[in-house]
Amino acid sequence: MRGFQLGICMWGFPMQGPTGVRMAAEMGFAGAEIDLGPYENGYPLSNSRIQNEYRRVSRDFGIAITSIAVELLNRYGLTNPLDTRKGMIAMEGCRRAIDAAAQMEVPVVQLPSFNDGAILDEEGFLNTCEKIRLLCEYAEDAGVVLATENALSIGDSLRMMEEVNSGRFGLMFDTQNYFLAGASDTAQYLRELAPHVVQIHLKDGYHRKLSSALLGTGESGFMETAQVIRETACSEWLLLENYYNQEPLSRLDADQFEIVKKDVEIVKRIFEL
């Protein structure tokens, strides 16, 4: 079985920024996924001083920056046409993230498609594919891989891979998002999509609420999906994406770091880390 490494998505961690990455390293995480930051704040990770601080923490504390997320795409979606304000902000944000990844030697840029960027029709699908094709060309010289995170069906996910048709393009697989979008068997999604998976987000929930349960205690079929992760070994990186800093998970313990530790114990047991 391929060896796995455990990382954390910093937007769900109790402490943010480079200090949060240091604390994650001290808790034993091997990697951390960070966010570009909002358009309204000038894409903070574009700032070389901020990049250098993350690089210093990564080097000094032995924790990899696994990927950079462009969370602003959930507000300025790739579904918007190129000649609209939202479409232009989406493209600028993605290019900034690719540039930051190249400067920081981060291998993956994650492109989420939810909320404003949710792919709900053929027009949104084609607009998203068009932008990603252009971004894959932009990412070529940077040596960066782009990973879409979405809630498309298996068929449409495979169609997106064909439409984009780039060796710089893959999938950020999530263990709860497909269930929330109506899929009855997330494990089957992974069986079909495993060849395209770049990294994996681990989260769970109940009552159809995003990230509302410790891993394996919710209703998304996490344990079955985890078994397929083990069988396919489709990604080295397993990134915790439960929101330990938000309700209802944050209510489990006054010290939110203790909640993180509970999920770490679960992952270590399941994946024999």
Side-chain angles (χ1 to χ4, degrees), residues 1-18:
M1 183 175 66
R2 177 179 179 177
F4 296 110
Q5 295 204 71
L6 182 60
I8 181 84
C9 295
M10 294 308 299
W11 49 89
F13 197 63
M15 173 64 78
Q16 305 297 302

Side-chain angles (χ1 to χ4, degrees), residues 187-203:
Q188 183 59 32
Y189 270 60
L190 184 56
R191 288 190 188 95
E192 298 287 341
L193 299 175
H196 305 285
V197 170
V198 176
Q199 294 176 352
I200 295 177
H201 285 169
L202 304 180
K203 63 174 177 278

Side-chain angles (χ1 to χ4, degrees), residues 4 18 27 66 75 86 103 164-165 170 214:
F4 296 110
M27 290 182 67
T66 63
R75 183 171 181 182
K86 284 188 173 183
Q103 289 296 319
V164 175
N165 190 28
L214 293 174

Side-chain angles (χ1 to χ4, degrees), residues 27-271:
M27 290 182 67
F29 284 99
E33 181 176 3
I34 61 177
D35 181 42
L36 173 69
Y39 155 75
E40 290 79 5
N41 292 355
Y43 313 108
L45 198 59
S46 288
N47 187 305
S48 61
R49 296 189 188 191
I50 295 175
Q51 293 175 11
N52 289 338
E53 185 61 15
Y54 275 112
R55 295 185 72 178
R56 183 191 67 78
V57 170
S58 173
R59 180 189 66 245
D60 291 352
F61 293 90
I63 182 169
I65 305 299
T66 63
S67 33
I68 295 173
V70 191
E71 290 292 308
L72 66 87
L73 294 177
N74 293 322
R75 183 171 181 182
Y76 304 97
L78 293 171
T79 49
N80 293 289
L82 278 168
D83 60 355
T84 64
R85 177 176 179 270
K86 284 188 173 183
M88 288 186 283
I89 291 173
M91 288 297 286
E92 181 184 23
C94 291
R95 291 191 184 104
R96 295 285 192 108
I98 292 168
D99 291 343
Q103 289 296 319
M104 299 170 67
E105 301 181 337
V106 175
V108 175
V109 169
Q110 179 213 339
L111 310 177
S113 289
F114 302 101
N115 302 325
D116 179 74
I119 303 169
L120 304 176
D121 53 31
E122 185 68 5
E123 180 181 8
F125 178 88
L126 293 176
N127 282 340
T128 300
C129 291
E130 177 188 28
K131 290 185 184 64
I132 293 175
R133 278 196 300 272
L134 294 172
L135 291 167
C136 284
E137 294 175 7
Y138 189 81
E140 189 69 35
D141 291 339
V144 174
V145 171
L146 306 182
T148 177
E149 185 182 24
N150 58 60
L152 292 173
S153 67
I154 294 172
D156 280 339
S157 294
L158 294 174
R159 186 161 69 102
M160 178 174 280
M161 296 299 153
E162 293 177 358
E163 286 282 340
V164 175
N165 190 28
S166 171
R168 291 284 170 196
F169 183 54
L171 176 68
M172 180 72 75
F173 191 89
D174 187 282
T175 62
Q176 191 192 16
N177 288 341
Y178 297 102
F179 172 81
L180 293 176
S184 59
D185 189 351
T186 299
Q188 183 59 32
Y189 270 60
L190 184 56
R191 288 190 188 95
E192 298 287 341
L193 299 175
H196 305 285
V197 170
V198 176
Q199 294 176 352
I200 295 177
H201 285 169
L202 304 180
K203 63 174 177 278
D204 204 349
Y206 58 89
H207 297 322
R208 306 197 70 82
K209 182 174 177 60
L210 184 71
S211 180
S212 55
L214 293 174
L215 298 175
T217 67
E219 62 190 1
S220 66
F222 178 82
M223 299 304 291
E224 291 78 8
T225 304
Q227 181 58 37
V228 179
I229 294 172
R230 285 170 55 93
E231 291 170 2
T232 61
C234 54
S235 170
E236 173 187 9
W237 284 106
L238 308 177
L239 306 172
L240 295 186
E241 202 197 10
N242 263 340
Y243 301 150
Y244 307 101
N245 53 5
Q246 299 178 30
E247 293 185 346
L249 274 182
S250 60
R251 293 185 179 184
L252 293 181
D253 197 299
D255 183 350
Q256 295 171 1
F257 294 98
E258 293 300 318
I259 310 170
V260 179
K261 289 179 181 179
K262 291 178 181 178
D263 259 354
V264 170
E265 291 170 2
I266 292 168
V267 172
K268 286 183 174 181
R269 183 175 69 250
I270 293 172
F271 295 98

